[in-house]
Amino acid sequence: QVHLVESGGGLVQAGGSLRLSCAASGLAASTYGMGWFRQAPGKEREFVAGITWIGRTTKYSDSVKGRFTISRDNAKNAVYLQMNSLKPEDTAVYYCAVDQVAYRGQSIDSARNVGYWGQGTQVTISS
C-alpha cells in the first residue's frame, strides 16, 4: 500500500520560510514524478510545483514561481518544497502527490495526473 507522509507545515509570519517534506513508501517513488498541490478554505485544490522522476525538470505555478523550490532525493523516496517570502495568500493545506505514470517526461501539473495523495499538512501565514 502506498503512503505519502507530509511534514514541515506550521504557522509563520509573512516574509518567513518553511520547508515541507514528503516521504513515500509502498512504491518506487524514484520512478515517478512528484509534486505539491494546495487547497485553501472554500477553494479548489491547485497545482503548486512538480518535478520529474529524475529531477531534471521542474514546474511552478505563477503564484509561487521565484519563491518556492521543489527538489527530491530519490535515495530517500522523498520530495521537498522550500517556501520563501511567504504571503498570507499561501495559507492552505499542502498535499504531496505522485504521478499516475512512471517515467513520465514531464512533471505533473494537474490533479488529473495524480495517482496518490498525501494526507496534507497545514501551512498558515500571518500578516
Side-chain angles (χ1 to χ4, degrees), residues 29-124:
S30 60
T31 64
Y32 291 83
M34 299 182 73
W36 292 91
F37 290 71
R38 67 186 182 186
Q39 188 166 18
K43 295 187 177 181
E44 293 186 354
R45 192 171 297 189
E46 65 174 1
F47 168 74
V48 175
I51 188 167
T52 51
W53 65 277
I54 203 169
R56 289 178 180 170
T57 303
T58 57
K59 188 171 185 178
Y60 299 91
S61 68
D62 288 342
S63 61
V64 307
K65 198 174 297 182
R67 300 187 297 121
F68 292 10
T69 302
I70 188 170
S71 61
R72 66 186 299 159
D73 184 339
N74 283 347
K76 297 181 178 179
N77 262 8
V79 66
Y80 309 97
L81 187 67
Q82 178 66 43
M83 305 186 295
N84 299 328
S85 302
L86 284 161
K87 305 175 181 179
E89 52 263 43
D90 294 319
T91 295
V93 177
Y94 283 70
Y95 296 91
C96 176
V98 174
D99 201 338
Q100 290 177 336
V101 176
Y103 302 114
R104 194 193 299 268
Q106 299 172 339
S107 67
I108 52 175
D109 61 2
S110 168
R112 296 191 303 269
N113 292 332
V114 175
Y116 303 97
W117 294 100
Q119 83 287 352
T121 184
Q122 178 69 48
V123 171
T124 304

